[in-house]
Amino acid sequence: MSVSTIITAAGKNSRMRKDQISRGMELTNKLILPFNNKTVIETTIDNALSLNIDECIVVLGHYAREIREAIYDNYKSDVKFIENNPVDVGLSTSLYNGLSNISSDFALCITADQPTVLPETFEKMIEVSQTSQNPYRTISILRRRKTGLLDTAEGLGMPFVAPRENLMEYLKNEDDNLNPILRKIFDDGYVFYGIKEKNEKELLNINHYDDYLKLLD
């Protein structure tokens, strides 16, 4: 079964901008802040490209020009960049637009501000998805509370592996954060399997400047 990766990089960056303003710093999109000798988004993309996947899609929106200028030349041969139109949409729409541009059976869905999620963790998520009793009714997801078979989708988000067409049905005509949609999928009887992180930094998204500093330690 084929697997492609969708990386969402279309957010408003509002919390990071607010923190940078309060600190008197130059305004820089969090995705192009330095990380591991590259940038946050490049590290996330590199981790995805190291996997045995069919293709990698990066979904841009807000600050698309700034992000493109920073990374496009380095990835134009390995990554397909698409842009939300209109720009001001929720995460569910960004993900739907990404899924609309692949033909794989399954999608590994990542947010660009997750540079610390290791390739080994993504590989485990893919493995669990593909070897489950019914892959088309299974969501393999980075755990937030429990690991293994989950009894709730509360608090869950990306990264996860899901069947592309089924996921698109839930995302269609939605413009929302992801968790309410994952809870709806769970309530419809899908199996959710929580994958344990390799280290605690894998559970951190970069929303605030302090989050970024924690990941640099």
Side-chain angles (χ1 to χ4, degrees):
M1 292 178 280
S2 55
V3 181
S4 293
T5 299
I6 308 295
I7 300 176
T8 58
K12 293 181 179 179
N13 195 48
S14 54
R15 286 171 287 190
M16 180 64 75
R17 286 175 64 86
K18 184 177 178 181
D19 288 351
Q20 289 171 336
I21 291 169
S22 71
R23 292 167 183 253
M25 299 173 62
E26 180 182 353
L27 291 178
T28 305
N29 188 285
K30 65 181 179 180
L31 299 182
I32 56 175
L33 289 171
F35 193 86
N36 285 357
N37 300 316
K38 288 196 171 184
T39 62
V40 168
I41 186 172
E42 286 176 308
T43 306
T44 303
I45 293 172
D46 288 349
N47 288 340
L49 291 177
S50 73
L51 306 170
N52 182 25
I53 56 173
D54 291 286
E55 59 185 327
C56 181
I57 304 281
V58 172
V59 183
L60 301 173
H62 294 279
Y63 307 103
R65 179 182 297 178
E66 185 178 349
I67 295 170
R68 273 185 181 272
E69 287 177 355
I71 72 168
Y72 180 77
D73 286 346
N74 296 333
Y75 292 95
K76 59 186 177 184
S77 61
D78 299 309
V79 172
K80 180 179 181 180
F81 291 88
I82 66 168
E83 292 189 26
N84 290 333
N85 185 16
V87 170
D88 197 14
V89 295
L91 178 57
S92 62
T93 301
S94 292
L95 194 52
Y96 183 88
N97 290 342
L99 292 166
S100 300
N101 279 271
I102 63 172
S103 56
S104 299
D105 301 312
F106 292 84
L108 167 62
C109 304
I110 311 170
T111 63
D113 64 352
Q114 295 178 313
T116 52
V117 182
L118 299 172
E120 296 93 323
T121 301
F122 292 138
E123 287 171 354
K124 182 65 176 177
M125 291 167 58
I126 293 170
E127 176 192 346
V128 167
S129 163
Q130 305 299 274
T131 59
S132 64
Q133 190 170 3
N134 187 350
Y136 290 93
R137 298 281 296 180
T138 299
I139 306 288
S140 175
I141 194 163
L142 181 64
R143 72 101 187 190
R144 294 305 189 272
R145 300 168 189 166
K146 295 169 61 177
T147 60
L149 288 175
L150 302 180
D151 55 11
T152 179
E154 294 290 335
L156 295 177
M158 291 199 273
F160 63 83
V161 177
R164 181 184 71 91
E165 289 188 7
N166 295 22
L167 180 58
M168 287 180 70
E169 284 299 315
Y170 283 94
L171 294 172
K172 189 176 5 178
N173 302 321
E174 295 285 349
D175 189 27
D176 199 352
N177 289 325
L178 201 57
N179 184 255
I181 297 167
L182 290 173
R183 294 203 307 268
K184 187 183 298 184
I185 295 172
F186 182 88
D187 290 342
D188 282 349
Y190 280 69
V191 172
F192 276 61
Y193 196 96
I195 303 300
K196 183 170 173 54
E197 71 282 4
K198 292 284 184 182
N199 60 68
E200 62 182 20
K201 286 186 178 180
E202 288 193 294
L203 300 177
L204 266 179
N205 289 6
I206 303 173
N207 293 317
H208 294 279
Y209 195 76
D210 283 339
D211 298 331
Y212 171 65
L213 294 178
K214 283 179 188 175
L215 295 187
L216 293 181
D217 286 343

